[in-house]
Amino acid sequence: MKNKVTFTLQYVFVLLSGIILGSKKALLSQTIYLIIGLIGIPIFSQGGGISYVLNPTFGYLIGFLACSYLIGLFSEKIVIKNSLALFLCSLPGLIIMYLIGIIYFFLIMKYYYANEIIIKTFLIKIIPDFIMDIVLTYLTVLIGINIKRRLKIDKKFI
């Protein structure tokens, strides 16, 4: 049983997909990513294959769908004048990803593995990851805005 939440840069690319591609294409890119992993190509942090849905951390991958779409929606609909505004608009995507991931983690651990997780212990482990992802969000927003400027994808950023 693999139940450890590992550090990867997957979230960075989820965020970049929303910023650069917009909502629909970002959602499509994350859906393709999930399908590729579920058909057996080991692209997830701990492998791949259809049985990966029983991995407690699979909920975070499901959260990638909502996160990329929401961040893409904000980057399309809101006139962003600076990186701080886009950063603040990106935080709901991060929160949604964590909520889906945490709920899925608890459900799989309790009902599939019959393992009761002590919430306090879990939160002590997850809070530093969440703080790191907030920092990664701001750094990724800076990178995403720079990529959009260079590619001239969105005139709002020029």
Side-chain angles (χ1 to χ4, degrees):
M1 168 182 60
K2 297 176 183 177
N3 61 7
K4 183 180 176 200
V5 177
T6 57
F7 175 78
T8 69
L9 292 176
Q10 290 171 304
Y11 169 66
V12 169
F13 292 99
V14 170
L15 181 55
L16 283 174
S17 73
I19 293 170
I20 295 169
L21 300 175
S23 60
K24 292 177 185 173
K25 290 178 183 175
L27 177 61
L28 178 63
S29 74
Q30 297 309 310
T31 302
I32 291 169
Y33 172 71
L34 277 179
I35 291 169
I36 289 171
L38 289 174
I39 62 171
I41 299 172
I43 59 172
F44 302 143
S45 67
Q46 299 171 15
I50 194 68
S51 64
Y52 205 86
V53 299
L54 299 175
N55 185 314
T57 62
F58 185 72
Y60 291 96
L61 298 177
I62 296 170
F64 288 176
L65 299 170
C67 180
S68 65
Y69 181 82
L70 187 59
I71 291 169
L73 195 62
F74 283 136
S75 72
E76 291 168 351
K77 303 291 183 193
I78 298 172
V79 177
I80 306 298
K81 295 184 178 179
N82 59 46
S83 57
L84 181 60
L86 184 55
F87 166 70
L88 294 174
C89 290
S90 298
L91 291 179
L94 175 64
I95 292 167
I96 294 289
M97 181 187 73
Y98 264 82
L99 285 175
I100 293 170
I102 289 168
I103 291 168
Y104 194 92
F105 187 93
F106 278 105
L107 291 174
I108 291 294
M109 290 303 289
K110 182 174 182 173
Y111 295 109
Y112 183 74
Y113 290 111
N115 184 355
E116 291 292 329
I117 298 291
I118 299 170
I119 294 174
K120 184 178 176 182
T121 304
F122 183 77
L123 290 176
I124 289 170
K125 290 177 143 185
I126 204 78
I127 288 173
D129 293 336
F130 185 73
I131 292 168
M132 176 59 81
D133 282 339
I134 290 172
V135 172
L136 278 174
T137 299
Y138 187 71
L139 296 174
T140 305
V141 162
L142 295 175
I143 292 167
I145 288 173
N146 198 7
I147 290 171
K148 285 184 96 162
R149 278 189 190 129
R150 291 180 185 270
L151 296 177
K152 297 182 176 146
I153 293 174
D154 190 348
K155 302 228 186 266
K156 291 185 278 189
F157 293 102
I158 298 176

